[in-house]
Amino acid sequence: MKLFIHDKCLEKLFELPKATSKKVLEFQKKFRENSRSEAIHLEPIKTFKDQSLRTARIDQKYRAIIRVPETGDNYHMLWVDNHDEAMDWAKNKMFEWNEITQTAQIFTSPETIDLPENHPKFNDGIFNKYSNDELMKIGVPESLLELVRKICNLNELEANEQFLPQDAFENLFYLSEGLSIQSLILEVESGKINAIGIDEQQSSFNNKRSFIEMDDALMEEIINGDLSKWQIFLHPSQRKLAEGDFKGSVKVTGGAGTGKTVVALHRLKYLSQKTNLLSDFKIVFTTYTNALTSNLNQLVKKLHIDSNAFKIVNIDTLLRDLALSNNLIDSNTRFLDMFNSKSSSDVWELILENNLSEFEVGFLTAEHQNVILYNNVNSLESYLGTSRIGRGKPITRKQKMEVWSLIEKYKQYKTINNLVDRAELFNKASNFFKEQEVKPFSHVIADEVQDLSNVELRFLRSIVEEKENDLFLVGDPYQRIYAKKLNFSSAGISVRGNRSKQLRINYRTSEEIKRLAISTVKGLKYDDFDGEEETLNGYLSLFHGQKPSYEIFKTKTEETEYIIERIKELKSEGVNYSDIAIGFRTKDALKEVKSALHKLKLPYNDNTTNTINDSGGIVLSTFHGLKGLEFKVTFLADVNNRTCPLFYNGFNDLDVGGKLHYENSEKSLVYVAMTRAISKLFITGIGMKSNLIKI
């Protein structure tokens, strides 16, 4: 026989005392050996709505809720709790196997609602334009069709969430957001497997989203605290991406918290199992920042992937390593525009000190970066024919020739001083590896690709052969907070059609926080990295929480005192300091709060310094530094009309397009900062409220 565990039951097991978890381990062993043993105490309960549910004794205090099959030998553990709580959980629950979607569905039995046929709700239901057959194909059980047809708006849908299976609720939400019924049916169909028997259908992608077969190894990991839910359960849309085979490159987008990094990690595991470890080829998993790379190294350990199969590395480090090993640079080469390196603007200042020109340092720096290097331009002729769209005021052919003359002098200075631009080196490496028959890596996975530009994309394209499963690129257009241009097609990466996917389920952030974050970027147009518009239609959070708050104070001292008091309350409620973050738009703004925490001897980590310790303290950070992280509670401090958006001195010198791009990036930054919070978000400031915060 087989025993499957529900994902919600697994969450409950994480909370149990270790001694009780060990008893659950022993119980499931005995159950799988002989489910009819008297020691199991598998008892029917007359008061349960679903008579296929049984209770089973874990010990004198705890009970398991087990669903027994009418036929076959597949059992399902649905819940574990104290006796009374377990009985209360199960009394109105229904378990149904949905053959149409190949999914085991659990929901609370709805109360009978007797409404006359001419009641307005029968006419105004938002799902009445769909046939019964269509609704059932997206997961609505036949027994709940009448309930669904009485739903008139999104509020009523949310009010009935508990009475619907999770997959059905999600798809109904998507319909209410404008997604087509045909696309949803196709998604469900693609999550099914070619099997007739119910026992075999248990292994469908759709069912693996909520159920996994129990075994001793799984229970041991739970007891040892080595397991997280994301390691086991994937939404069908995630699993199809992580474990699918594609003819070429794949692009995955999705809003904050939709599990893009989780999918990328599972993709790494899947590809590593297909990789020949005896070859010199490896999978490379890369991202933009060092902080994210460090976090990935910690997460990947939990998936037990053979370390010989992959390399996780920040993209700049990857570039330097490959450039050195292939003699594109030497050990004495110095870099411009990399972390802790000299700025290219400094070199341009030196060039203009010795050469009279109508152009300023800022213009020449941007022209070189955003036109010459972005387009991998290597000659005057090529430069004269290169588009400058987005660069503001046009320049004449004569002026272009003057710019190129200055660029030649800039290159000469770099050659003499053994300097190389970051983007220049990416281009140099791309050109080199493009010509090599043997590429450095078998597969490339890149996370947070919205932080990259075409310069980096061309590099990633060049280091892996064009073949099945070559590039797996993950990002969120709404989190684009750096002024970089990005287009997959122009970088030589084809992801059109079926190889461009979007994730919609938000696992991290409560619906209340998600809605506030979306209001910050609502109405803006975001490119999906390939010339089409990205939308957040159907972006759904799986849980509800406390509504975010926004408090304005007269002084910084009052604001700091408020934050400290809230932290003390949170601590008294059992929240760990390490589960709390305080974010600031600027580094200077955190000083007063940091000083207050220090005086009160409250532990903290300042991630704006290079001396992060592992004290388990409150995280202090800029909004930029919060990127890629998550916390149960997040404070966004010093948020007002001067800091959000924050305009720098040169803002007024930008053209209309430049100003719009900068303002949008500021809105995206607030969106990023808000979506770091899991269940509670406190926003504070002094002076006048920011108009970006829609509270």
Side-chain angles (χ1 to χ4, degrees):
M1 63 88 64
K2 292 182 179 180
L3 179 62
F4 294 86
I5 186 170
H6 190 226
D7 64 330
K8 301 298 182 186
C9 184
L10 185 72
E11 289 179 10
K12 188 65 181 177
L13 288 181
F14 292 152
E15 300 173 4
L16 294 179
K18 196 166 186 177
T20 304
S21 296
K22 288 182 178 178
K23 291 178 181 177
V24 176
L25 171 61
E26 293 303 317
F27 165 81
Q28 64 89 27
K29 279 183 180 179
K30 293 176 182 177
F31 191 93
R32 288 188 291 115
E33 289 168 0
N34 183 3
S35 62
R36 294 176 174 80
S37 167
E38 290 186 8
I40 297 296
H41 297 283
L42 200 61
E43 300 177 13
I45 306 296
K46 291 182 180 180
T47 57
F48 283 1
K49 284 268 178 94
D50 187 340
Q51 285 297 295
S52 71
L53 304 189
R54 304 283 190 272
T55 64
R57 183 179 296 175
I58 302 298
D59 60 17
Q60 292 297 319
K61 184 179 179 182
Y62 282 88
R63 296 292 184 272
I65 304 298
I66 306 290
R67 189 263 180 178
V68 299
E70 291 183 11
T71 59
D73 220 18
N74 285 343
Y75 293 75
H76 296 80
M77 181 184 289
L78 308 183
W79 196 247
V80 174
D81 212 331
N82 290 307
H83 177 277
D84 292 349
E85 285 79 359
M87 298 288 283
D88 187 61
W89 181 90
K91 64 182 180 182
N92 292 318
K93 288 291 186 299
M94 301 294 294
F95 179 103
E96 291 186 8
W97 177 259
N98 191 322
E99 291 189 45
I100 297 175
T101 62
Q102 295 185 351
T103 309
Q105 297 179 318
I106 301 173
F107 54 95
T108 300
S109 176
E111 298 298 320
T112 301
I113 304 173
D114 294 320
L115 294 175
E117 286 296 323
N118 62 353
H119 188 279
K121 290 194 173 184
F122 284 105
N123 300 321
D124 298 339
I126 58 175
F127 303 115
N128 283 345
K129 61 182 176 181
Y130 306 107
S131 68
N132 286 349
D133 184 58
E134 286 175 323
L135 292 175
M136 290 168 66
K137 282 182 177 179
I138 63 169
V140 178
E142 187 174 10
S143 62
L144 298 180
L145 286 171
E146 184 179 352
L147 170 68
V148 168
R149 295 203 176 279
K150 293 172 183 175
I151 295 172
C152 293
N153 52 52
L154 182 57
N155 289 335
E156 288 188 14
L157 175 61
E158 291 183 338
N160 285 284
E161 182 176 355
Q162 65 176 313
F163 304 124
L164 293 163
Q166 184 64 50
D167 57 330
F169 172 78
E170 286 173 13
N171 284 330
L172 291 172
F173 177 87
Y174 297 152
L175 285 180
S176 72
E177 287 274 286
L179 275 70
S180 73
I181 188 78
Q182 291 78 16
S183 67
L184 296 176
I185 291 172
L186 284 174
E187 279 193 16
V188 173
E189 289 298 311
S190 65
K192 295 164 63 174
I193 60 171
N194 187 20
I196 298 175
I198 292 176
D199 287 359
E200 292 78 21
Q201 290 175 1
Q202 299 274 346
S203 60
S204 74
F205 281 178
N206 291 341
N207 196 49
K208 283 182 179 180
R209 174 250 175 93
S210 298
F211 283 94
I212 189 169
E213 185 178 354
M214 292 187 73
D215 57 33
D216 295 346
L218 175 66
M219 285 303 302
E220 288 283 3
E221 284 195 272
I222 294 172
I223 292 169
N224 294 331
D226 297 332
L227 197 65
S228 299
K229 184 179 173 181
W230 67 266
Q231 296 169 241
I232 305 172
F233 294 102
L234 291 175
H235 190 276
S237 61
Q238 294 176 317
R239 192 174 294 278
K240 283 179 285 186
L241 289 169
E243 299 178 5
D245 286 312
F246 303 93
K247 291 183 178 179
S249 305
V250 176
K251 178 195 71 177
V252 181
T253 61
T258 51
K260 299 181 294 297
T261 299
V262 166
V263 170
L265 288 166
H266 279 273
R267 183 66 174 168
L268 174 61
K269 182 173 184 177
Y270 176 77
L271 292 176
S272 70
Q273 292 167 343
K274 301 182 63 159
T275 300
N276 180 4
L277 300 183
L278 298 178
S279 72
D280 293 329
F281 297 106
K282 283 187 177 182
I283 305 162
V284 65
F285 193 134
T286 189
T287 190
Y288 184 61
T289 67
N290 283 318
L292 291 177
T293 304
S294 176
N295 188 44
L296 287 169
N297 275 305
Q298 295 301 315
L299 293 174
V300 78
K301 290 177 183 177
K302 295 187 174 185
L303 288 177
H304 308 301
I305 305 172
D306 191 322
S307 60
N308 293 314
F310 68 91
K311 178 178 185 179
I312 295 179
V313 61
N314 155 268
I315 195 165
D316 283 2
T317 303
L318 175 63
L319 171 67
R320 286 196 299 264
D321 290 349
L322 287 175
L324 277 168
S325 61
N326 288 277
N327 300 315
L328 301 180
I329 58 174
D330 59 45
S331 58
N332 296 316
T333 300
R334 294 180 296 153
F335 303 96
L336 297 174
D337 298 329
M338 281 193 176
F339 182 71
N340 280 342
S341 72
K342 193 173 184 178
S343 168
S344 58
S345 296
D346 297 335
V347 177
W348 277 113
E349 285 185 2
L350 293 172
I351 299 301
L352 290 186
E353 283 179 7
N354 298 300
N355 297 274
L356 291 177
S357 173
E358 65 177 290
F359 300 111
E360 297 178 349
V361 168
F363 172 86
L364 290 168
T365 302
E367 186 76 2
H368 186 233
Q369 293 288 332
N370 300 330
V371 178
I372 307 297
L373 296 180
Y374 175 82
N375 292 293
N376 197 11
V377 172
N378 294 304
S379 68
L380 172 60
E381 291 71 26
S382 180
Y383 176 46
L384 292 174
T386 298
S387 169
R388 298 181 65 259
I389 291 176
R391 284 289 293 128
K393 184 179 178 180
I395 59 175
T396 65
R397 179 183 178 89
K398 183 179 179 181
Q399 287 174 315
K400 277 192 172 185
M401 294 175 71
E402 181 187 342
V403 169
W404 190 260
S405 175
L406 292 169
I407 285 173
E408 293 286 5
K409 291 181 172 61
Y410 175 83
K411 289 180 178 179
Q412 290 171 12
Y413 180 90
K414 288 190 301 174
T415 300
I416 293 169
N417 292 279
N418 202 13
L419 291 167
V420 62
D421 286 274
R422 176 182 182 273
E424 177 191 14
L425 185 56
F426 271 110
N427 285 339
K428 192 173 184 179
S430 300
N431 295 337
F432 174 80
F433 289 114
K434 186 178 180 180
E435 300 301 323
Q436 302 303 306
E437 187 174 341
V438 178
K439 308 295 184 180
F441 297 100
S442 59
H443 306 279
V444 172
I445 300 172
D447 196 11
E448 304 284 1
V449 294
Q450 75 277 351
D451 295 339
L452 308 180
S453 75
N454 277 23
V455 171
E456 291 99 335
L457 284 183
R458 285 194 299 266
F459 168 70
L460 295 179
R461 173 67 281 170
S462 73
I463 61 175
V464 63
E465 178 188 353
E466 292 191 37
K467 61 175 184 177
E468 181 180 88
N469 302 329
D470 52 3
L471 289 162
F472 194 80
L473 307 168
V474 177
D476 178 6
Y478 283 79
Q479 294 188 55
R480 191 182 294 183
I481 60 178
Y482 300 105
K484 296 183 176 183
K485 292 191 292 182
L486 178 66
N487 184 279
F488 281 35
S489 295
S490 63
I493 299 171
S494 176
V495 289
R496 293 293 176 100
N498 198 41
R499 288 188 278 122
S500 186
K501 307 290 185 179
Q502 185 178 20
L503 299 174
R504 295 190 292 263
I505 299 292
N506 181 350
Y507 295 90
R508 177 174 66 224
T509 302
S510 72
E511 180 68 12
E512 289 75 12
I513 295 171
K514 182 215 78 177
R515 288 180 182 178
L516 178 62
I518 287 179
S519 72
T520 305
V521 294
K522 190 173 183 179
L524 303 182
K525 289 189 176 182
Y526 286 84
D527 186 279
D528 70 346
F529 310 143
D530 217 22
E532 301 294 331
E533 185 178 348
E534 180 88 355
T535 70
L536 286 175
N537 288 355
Y539 181 32
L540 170 67
S541 291
L542 288 184
F543 64 97
H544 289 271
Q546 178 178 302
K547 286 187 176 181
S549 65
Y550 187 11
E551 301 289 340
I552 285 289
F553 301 90
K554 292 181 179 179
T555 67
K556 186 69 177 175
T557 300
E558 289 179 357
E559 180 187 18
T560 300
E561 289 174 350
Y562 172 85
I563 293 172
I564 296 297
E565 286 305 310
R566 295 291 80 75
I567 289 173
K568 289 179 178 178
E569 289 175 6
L570 291 165
K571 184 63 177 175
S572 68
E573 295 168 3
V575 178
N576 295 324
Y577 288 130
S578 59
D579 289 326
I580 301 172
I582 310 175
F584 305 83
R585 178 60 185 87
T586 64
K587 183 177 178 180
D588 288 342
L590 66 77
K591 291 178 181 177
E592 188 160 341
V593 173
K594 181 177 178 179
S595 177
L597 293 174
H598 183 74
K599 288 178 182 177
L600 293 169
K601 296 183 179 179
L602 297 179
Y604 64 85
N605 281 328
D606 180 355
N607 79 355
T608 67
T609 70
N610 295 322
T611 55
I612 300 298
N613 56 63
D614 193 22
S615 66
I618 300 160
V619 172
L620 303 178
S621 174
T622 61
F623 287 2
H624 284 87
L626 290 174
K627 197 172 188 306
L629 306 177
E630 60 183 57
F631 304 89
K632 289 181 180 177
V633 183
T634 299
F635 291 84
L636 301 183
D638 194 42
V639 176
N640 54 54
N641 65 331
R642 299 182 310 280
T643 61
C644 293
L646 180 68
F647 296 110
Y648 64 100
N649 291 334
F651 176 78
N652 289 325
D653 297 329
L654 297 175
D655 61 19
V656 174
K659 288 179 178 178
L660 181 62
H661 183 85
Y662 181 81
E663 289 174 346
N664 287 353
S665 69
E666 284 291 290
K667 292 176 181 179
S668 291
L669 182 59
V670 174
Y671 164 82
V672 168
M674 285 182 179
T675 52
R676 302 309 97 194
I678 296 174
S679 58
K680 292 183 179 181
L681 174 64
F682 299 93
I683 305 173
T684 64
I686 56 174
M688 295 180 63
K689 286 188 174 182
S690 165
N691 59 13
L692 299 186
I693 314 300
K694 312 296 185 182
I695 296 179

